[in-house]
Amino acid sequence: MRALLAHRLAAPVAIALIVVALAFILPSNFYLRVAALVWISALAVIGLNLLMGFAGQVSLGHAGFFGLGAYAVAVLPAQFSLHPLLALLAGALVCGLIAFVVGRPILRLKGHYLAVATLGFGILIAMAIANESWLTGGPDGMPVSRLTLFGWRVRGASTWYWITGALLVLGAWLAVNLVASPTGRALRALHDSEVAARVAGVDVAHYKLIVFVISAVYASVAGSALALVNGFVTPDSANFIHSIELVTMVVLGGMGSVFGSLVGAAILVVLPQVLTTFHDYEHLLLGLMMMVIMIVLRSGIVPSLAALIRRTRP
């Protein structure tokens, strides 16, 4: 059992099984759509978890990359007649380039200074999206061209469920392979101690920049997927609150856990839907439940439960 849990492919295989199983369990298109939203959020959170959980770097502006990816599939087809898939790739490329340029000076900072710098970057992106009405539609948002493949128009909750689920499994597989690679070992080394990693010969600045770019690409692809699923995009996808939600998903599920990224995303996407029956007490109950989880499971849900299983088994 321990060997199975420790295998590097355990997380993507478990995620794939969950995606397949829920497709036959969920009773209606509404639930399939909610599940697709979970897959999209989890994809963005996996990228952020690589940055925070494995490399130990804080980012409070990751929704900026998410928003850029979302608007890429809205603006590029509308303004330049680019196919949505090419727009998705272009958005990921642009976000990667921006992360590369911005990351070089920002990642020299540490702790609170790094958090504030990434927060400022995210706010700048959100302000630009909201204010450039001629291009983005401003606060009202703008429609997104529907995705077509070989003349077939991609539509329906079931179809998007499978597409977003496949994206999540692919993202998880790429993440665990990265973590198991020499790059992943370097990231874990600088997470434990940048000084010790530097003494051991790790190019700290180089690997920080690599993981920052990768996490930005994850967020961009997730943002593009959400925009294509909804058929509409607004500046809310890039705002500060969304950045905080992504960070909260990482912490709740468990920093340094790929599967925990899915668990954290599921909690923050599904719980508000469940708690709507309590009307005025919805946010109070959500906050209370999150506080209890973090008090009882301080390392996050998945790492804490994994540690409990290891202790209880001979």
Side-chain angles (χ1 to χ4, degrees):
M1 180 65 176
R2 289 183 180 180
L4 182 62
L5 290 174
H7 196 281
R8 65 185 177 89
L9 294 180
V13 169
I15 292 172
L17 291 175
I18 291 172
V19 170
V20 173
L22 287 180
F24 298 98
I25 295 174
L26 297 177
S28 68
N29 285 337
F30 170 77
Y31 293 99
L32 290 174
R33 173 174 168 75
V34 172
L37 297 180
V38 173
W39 307 154
I40 292 169
S41 293
L43 180 63
V45 175
I46 287 174
L48 186 56
N49 212 337
L50 289 173
L51 180 67
M52 294 182 59
F54 290 97
Q57 307 303 305
V58 180
S59 176
L60 297 181
H62 239 57
F65 295 118
F66 191 98
L68 287 175
Y71 273 89
V73 296
V75 173
L76 294 180
Q79 299 291 337
F80 303 100
S81 300
L82 200 64
H83 190 277
L85 271 184
L86 293 178
L88 183 151
L89 296 175
L93 177 61
V94 169
C95 282
L97 290 174
I98 292 175
F100 180 81
V101 173
V102 172
R104 293 179 71 87
I106 283 182
L107 293 173
R108 295 178 183 176
L109 304 173
K110 297 179 182 179
H112 300 91
Y113 299 101
L114 176 60
V116 171
T118 55
L119 171 61
F121 167 76
I123 291 175
L124 284 175
I125 295 296
M127 289 177 61
I129 290 174
N131 292 332
E132 299 301 322
S133 302
W134 64 276
L135 184 64
T136 64
D140 295 331
M142 65 183 297
V144 178
S145 300
R146 290 298 183 181
L147 177 62
T148 56
L149 297 172
F150 307 107
W152 171 58
R153 187 179 182 185
V154 181
R155 60 193 305 175
S158 177
T159 302
W160 281 114
Y161 174 91
W162 287 110
I163 292 175
T164 55
L167 277 175
L168 174 59
V169 173
L170 176 61
W173 178 75
L174 292 174
V176 297
N177 278 282
L178 174 68
V179 171
S181 70
T183 298
R185 291 192 288 273
L187 294 179
R188 290 196 296 273
L190 68 91
H191 176 275
D192 294 335
S193 172
E194 291 188 19
V195 175
R198 189 175 289 109
V199 171
V202 175
D203 189 340
V204 172
H206 173 71
Y207 284 107
K208 279 185 180 181
L209 189 58
I210 285 177
V211 73
F212 189 63
V213 170
I214 291 173
S215 64
V217 171
Y218 267 82
S220 174
V221 173
S224 296
L226 180 64
L228 290 171
V229 169
N230 289 338
F232 198 83
V233 62
T234 68
D236 289 344
S237 61
N239 66 18
F240 167 68
I241 298 300
H242 191 203
S243 288
I244 298 303
E245 288 176 349
L246 293 176
V247 172
T248 306
M249 291 175 187
V250 172
V251 176
L252 278 178
M255 294 179 67
S257 170
V258 172
F259 187 75
S261 301
L262 173 60
V263 174
I267 289 175
L268 276 198
V269 172
V270 174
L271 263 184
Q273 302 288 337
V274 174
L275 295 177
T276 52
T277 55
F278 294 96
H279 301 293
D280 295 338
Y281 302 100
E282 173 188 349
H283 294 93
L284 175 63
L285 291 174
L286 179 61
L288 180 61
M289 293 178 70
M290 289 170 58
M291 289 174 59
V292 170
I293 290 173
M294 293 314 303
I295 291 172
V296 176
L297 306 172
R298 297 184 180 182
S299 298
I301 295 173
V302 173
S304 296
L305 293 180
L308 180 62
I309 292 173
R310 286 193 294 268
R311 288 198 300 268
T312 54
R313 286 185 174 274

